[in-house]
Amino acid sequence: MPVFMLHDECNGCINKISYIEDLPEDVALITGYVKDEDEDEIKKIRKEYRSVIAYGTCTCYGGIFGLSNQRKNTIVPIRYLVNVDREIPGCPPQRIMLSNQLRTPIIALSVCSRCDRERTGEMPDTISRLDSIQDDNNTCLINQGIICSGGVSYSCCDRCEQCIAFNTPCRGCIPRNPNSGEFLIDQVGSLANKVGIDTMGTEWTTDMLGPEEDDLTRAIPDPLGTFYRFTLASSRINRGIKDSFGDIYKDVMIGRPAEEATYIASRIYGSCSVSVTLNYIECIEEIVGIEVDDTVKKLRGILRSSGSEFKGAIEKKDLKRVLSAEDAIRRIGGDENLSNVSIGGFRTPIEGIAGVDIEKFDEYKMAVFQDRCGESTHSDGTSKVSVSIDGSGIIDGWEYEIY
Amino acid sequence: MSSIVFTCDNCGSGSANTAGVLRMEYDPSIKIIRVPCAGRVGANFVMEAFSDGADAVSVVGCCLGACHYSGSNFVAMRRLKILKKLFEQLGYEPDRINYYTARAAEGDTFVGDAEDIVKKSKSGERPFDIILKADDKVGGV
């Protein structure tokens, strides 16, 4: 099966498909994000092959890289350019999804239907940012006031691959609808019933929505990255007019809240994402002033070496080593997007690592922090990350280097 | 130039009606869409209006605390507040999204709202100029 990738910033999806054998020869697989300018090239591929499969959320909906449309980029969902026979969204989609989709489409379930948390139906008093409260691991995140895209997203193929299994809210990498962000805004608007909002009087004796910051906007510092994380390019308002920084990673990362950027970095850096994410987390810990426990340092050390093993195996194209390194990353990081990793520690207890006691989870638990500004640089053998955050906890400077 | 105004069935539409009965005038660029309640207006209504070429989108509902259902005007306000912030992030003018109240018995409240909407619809960049519209291109398998 010929695989086409027009933009090779992230190799997360192509790593998943490069080693699969005995796939049909007359089916083309397109992965990676697609720009408006690529129309001719995509149409040529469409003409040459009997059928075309779009693989990955970036191709199907614009994905995280679609967030750079905020800064005048021109990423589009592939179906705006050509008709595709199958769309396999996911960030990245599991290997099993490709082989399943080639035969019959899987029955899609929403994330909520496969989530173990209890729904209380309570309206939250406040909306909270991800790492500003410690959740109770038992109640639905939306009832606790943490925004979760579970209701507007399909579940990943594998239950234990879901972010929600590691107490990380879903951000909707498999949207149920190209405009799922808008549905989530509606949902939050209805549920945040007790959250105060700014109003002001008018000269003609009526009231109107005020322009000031209020509890709602303070709690949602980045609506674009929260509601439209994977679907900006496919939504109705799909372009912004801010100036680009000249680098797509910078365009994506700048403007995101510090606590959310962990899960963005772990998805967009492909085979280097483990190293970039851990470096980023260490930067934030230095800025915020969190001292981590020795257990956390040890676990991160193991995760780092699995990450570099994974990268080496990808370069050598050794499937056996790739799979074993992926398993090693999963054991600590939860899933391959490192949903279990958080600032200050981990989100769920880790089993099966020598010297790490599940009973002593409090020692390596994630940290709760308030915003603080500053800048920091951290590096390891694979990458170097410099980040600066402003007073409200938003990233305003992002530099990276991959060795 | 056109500004879409979603008016709620009770106060917003009532007030626009009263303004008409009293032969008050407001700008002809105001296009009214009647909805059962301000809480019916979702983000997708607003975004669709913008992508179809509206210069400004507003919701006119009941006075604060006087919603004919249980506080759904605040639901609409919260949604619009999030959208305002989203517009700011994309670089557009957040003033183009607004929520106003009106009183059904007083036509001048709606006329005042309409004048303000028209004034605000001229500020900043037109959001839909560079949006890629996919309607014609999207097809089946």
Side-chain angles (χ1 to χ4, degrees):
Chain A
M1 175 183 279
V3 180
F4 296 92
M5 189 170 170
L6 303 181
H7 302 274
D8 58 353
E9 268 88 359
C10 166
N11 53 4
C13 287
I14 203 158
N15 291 343
K16 288 270 174 198
I17 41 186
S18 304
Y19 318 103
I20 300 177
E21 284 155 18
D22 63 289
L23 290 172
E25 266 309 307
D26 52 353
V27 178
L29 217 112
I30 299 177
T31 178
Y33 61 85
V34 177
K35 285 188 176 187
D36 208 8
E37 298 91 279
D38 303 329
E39 188 166 355
D40 296 338
E41 208 167 331
I42 298 278
K43 282 197 166 139
K44 212 174 119 202
I45 297 171
R46 173 78 257 192
K47 258 180 211 153
E48 270 174 42
Y49 293 91
R50 184 173 60 89
S51 62
V52 172
I53 297 179
Y55 190 81
T57 305
C58 285
T59 326
C60 305
Y61 295 97
I64 293 189
F65 286 107
L67 285 177
S68 65
N69 275 8
Q70 177 194 8
R71 301 189 185 274
K72 291 183 179 164
N73 207 344
T74 54
I75 293 171
V76 289
I78 191 167
R79 64 183 187 289
Y80 286 17
L81 307 178
V82 291
N83 288 342
V84 287
D85 298 271
R86 281 284 155 76
E87 287 185 348
I88 308 179
C91 188
Q94 299 307 298
R95 288 197 177 82
I96 188 171
M97 286 182 77
L98 179 61
S99 42
N100 276 352
Q101 288 278 349
L102 285 175
R103 290 177 211 114
T104 52
I106 50 162
I107 297 162
L109 292 166
S110 82
V111 175
C112 290
S113 67
R114 297 175 91 180
C115 173
D116 294 331
R117 287 170 183 257
E118 190 191 347
R119 202 177 296 180
T120 59
E122 218 174 285
M123 302 280 192
D125 292 331
T126 50
I127 300 284
S128 310
R129 285 172 67 170
L130 184 57
D131 280 0
S132 64
I133 60 163
Q134 192 91 48
D135 83 304
D136 64 4
N137 300 349
N138 210 7
T139 321
C140 173
L141 285 170
I142 289 185
N143 292 145
Q144 294 184 57
I146 298 172
I147 297 168
C148 171
S149 305
V152 294
S153 317
Y154 285 129
S155 156
C156 318
C157 196
D158 194 349
R159 190 189 191 108
C160 57
E161 197 67 26
Q162 293 188 133
C163 299
I164 194 76
F166 305 97
N167 298 335
T168 306
C170 172
R171 285 285 175 255
C173 70
I174 311 183
R176 288 172 77 169
N177 183 302
N179 305 311
S180 69
E182 285 146 27
F183 290 98
L184 190 63
I185 290 177
D186 292 359
Q187 200 183 345
V188 170
S190 305
L191 280 165
N193 214 354
K194 298 176 187 165
V195 182
I197 195 155
D198 179 50
T199 56
M200 64 183 203
T202 59
E203 288 164 20
W204 53 100
T205 72
T206 58
D207 292 303
M208 68 181 284
L209 194 56
E212 302 291 322
E213 283 268 295
D214 50 31
D215 288 354
L216 188 70
T217 49
R218 264 192 293 274
I220 310 172
D222 173 31
L224 192 65
T226 312
F227 300 108
Y228 290 88
R229 177 156 316 168
F230 293 92
T231 54
L232 179 65
S234 68
S235 71
R236 290 193 176 96
I237 300 280
N238 51 16
R239 301 274 165 86
I241 49 171
K242 284 195 169 170
D243 287 330
S244 169
F245 295 106
D247 178 75
I248 192 160
Y249 282 113
K250 271 180 139 180
D251 289 351
V252 170
M253 296 302 284
I254 292 178
R256 307 281 89 80
E259 70 275 13
E260 300 275 352
T262 317
Y263 306 107
I264 298 179
S266 67
R267 285 170 190 268
I268 59 177
Y269 278 92
S271 57
C272 308
S273 59
V274 175
S275 152
V276 172
T277 311
L278 290 179
N279 283 333
Y280 166 74
I281 287 177
E282 279 163 8
C283 288
I284 296 295
E285 279 165 357
E286 195 184 310
I287 292 168
V288 181
I290 297 171
E291 285 288 324
V292 294
D293 193 74
D294 285 342
T295 322
V296 178
K297 282 181 189 154
K298 185 184 159 196
L299 286 167
R300 280 187 190 157
I302 303 172
L303 193 56
R304 266 211 170 93
S305 57
S306 321
S308 55
E309 161 73 13
F310 178 69
K311 188 170 180 251
I314 290 283
E315 278 159 12
K316 292 230 167 67
K317 302 204 178 231
D318 183 346
L319 181 60
K320 223 177 211 173
R321 272 177 65 201
V322 170
L323 290 176
S324 73
E326 258 182 26
D327 278 348
I329 292 173
R330 281 212 180 89
R331 222 169 292 142
I332 296 172
D335 53 21
E336 39 194 314
N337 295 319
L338 308 182
S339 294
N340 199 14
V341 180
S342 171
I343 294 161
F346 292 87
R347 287 178 170 267
T348 50
I350 293 162
E351 288 176 48
I353 303 285
V356 179
D357 199 344
I358 305 177
E359 304 292 315
K360 291 180 182 162
F361 176 51
D362 282 345
E363 286 175 7
Y364 58 96
K365 207 173 183 176
M366 59 169 263
V368 171
F369 63 94
Q370 299 299 324
D371 306 324
R372 215 169 296 176
C373 58
E375 53 183 75
S376 168
T377 305
H378 274 265
S379 63
D380 63 6
T382 315
S383 67
K384 180 178 148 189
V385 174
S386 319
V387 62
S388 71
I389 57 174
D390 69 4
S392 52
I394 305 286
I395 294 176
D396 61 359
W398 178 268
E399 298 285 343
Y400 69 96
E401 220 176 297
I402 308 283
Y403 302 130
Chain B
M1 287 289 287
S2 69
S3 307
I4 301 294
V5 180
F6 293 100
T7 56
C8 88
D9 204 5
N10 298 297
C11 295
S13 302
S15 166
N17 242 340
T18 313
V21 170
L22 296 174
R23 297 190 175 254
M24 292 172 164
E25 281 179 13
Y26 55 83
D27 201 275
S29 69
I30 300 274
K31 308 275 189 292
I32 294 177
I33 297 174
R34 200 172 71 165
V35 287
C37 175
R40 178 68 189 89
V41 180
N44 47 353
F45 284 28
V46 179
M47 290 310 206
E48 186 155 3
F50 276 119
S51 72
D52 285 349
D55 286 280
V57 178
S58 308
V59 179
V60 178
C62 297
C63 290
L64 309 183
C67 178
H68 285 58
Y69 305 97
S70 56
S72 293
N73 46 4
F74 282 103
V75 170
M77 282 168 87
R78 273 184 223 103
R79 290 170 180 171
L80 294 183
K81 187 80 190 187
I82 295 171
L83 287 179
K84 266 164 118 61
K85 188 145 186 178
L86 182 80
F87 254 47
E88 218 176 308
Q89 279 192 305
L90 291 170
Y92 303 127
E93 184 56 58
D95 268 359
R96 286 170 179 256
I97 301 176
N98 271 304
Y99 180 93
Y100 297 91
T101 62
R103 287 187 292 276
E106 296 168 35
D108 53 341
T109 54
F110 184 82
V111 174
D113 294 343
E115 276 168 9
D116 202 46
I117 290 165
V118 172
K119 201 171 82 196
K120 283 184 172 161
S121 69
K122 288 169 185 153
S123 58
E125 297 263 354
R126 281 156 72 96
F128 55 86
D129 274 357
I130 55 163
I131 289 167
L132 182 90
K133 288 205 61 180
D135 293 0
D136 312 326
K137 291 187 177 177
V138 180
V141 174

